[in-house]
Amino acid sequence: MQESNIDSSLPGTYSADDPGGGTYDPETGLREWYYAPTSTRLGQWLRLRRKMLGMSQQDISDALTAAGMKFYDSSVARIENGKRKVTVDEAEVIARILGVDIAYMTSLEPPEDLKVFVEQENQKVLGRRRGNGKA
């Protein structure tokens, strides 16, 4: 049996017997798809959950600062844009501020309430009500 030189610890790289990620390409060691890094997903879910709750980036940074973590609204923006990673401690406090747990904030797929929120926001932008297509 031939041994692979692919570093399977890298994002999107898996062994041929790994069940996730779609069809395995033995030449590249990659699957058809793989999940975004956890920090990227956390930032995306943070932005959506914050907007869903009607909170500003300043509200989040103020709450983090009150919890003993010096934050600025620009720090929150950088997290949401994938430009800043968060520590586990920060993630825990962010999740509490948003009324959820870390599992929610790091889930591989968008949480169901965020899917519904995005759909509602899209319908507002399109100027239509869900289902009947009328403005």
Side-chain angles (χ1 to χ4, degrees):
M1 185 165 155
Q2 188 175 350
E3 206 171 301
S4 172
N5 292 329
I6 306 280
D7 180 0
S8 63
S9 67
L10 298 173
T13 58
Y14 307 95
S15 65
D17 59 349
D18 183 75
T23 307
Y24 179 76
D25 180 354
E27 286 185 30
T28 63
L30 298 175
R31 297 275 178 184
E32 286 179 351
W33 54 268
Y34 63 94
Y35 293 109
T38 303
S39 58
T40 301
R41 292 190 315 269
L42 187 138
Q44 291 170 343
W45 304 166
L46 166 58
R47 172 182 284 126
L48 292 172
R49 180 79 179 171
R50 174 180 64 75
K51 288 182 175 184
M52 188 175 85
L53 297 174
M55 298 178 78
S56 69
Q57 291 174 338
Q58 186 66 54
D59 294 334
I60 300 295
S61 65
D62 289 347
L64 283 161
T65 300
M69 299 175 177
K70 186 64 179 162
F71 257 75
Y72 301 95
D73 57 336
S74 61
S75 302
V76 176
R78 289 178 51 77
I79 293 168
E80 291 180 350
N81 293 323
K83 306 256 189 247
R84 182 188 184 284
K85 293 184 179 188
V86 298
T87 67
V88 173
D89 293 335
E90 291 168 342
E92 180 180 22
V93 174
I94 289 169
R96 272 193 272 142
I97 290 166
L98 298 172
V100 293
D101 59 19
I102 289 180
Y104 176 103
M105 295 301 295
T106 60
S107 60
L108 295 175
E109 297 292 335
E112 202 57 42
D113 62 337
L114 295 183
K115 289 181 187 178
V116 170
F117 173 72
V118 168
E119 176 64 24
Q120 290 170 344
E121 292 301 299
N122 288 341
Q123 291 301 318
K124 286 179 191 175
V125 170
L126 294 173
R128 292 187 269 151
R129 292 189 192 103
R130 189 175 188 177
N132 64 8
K134 296 180 182 177

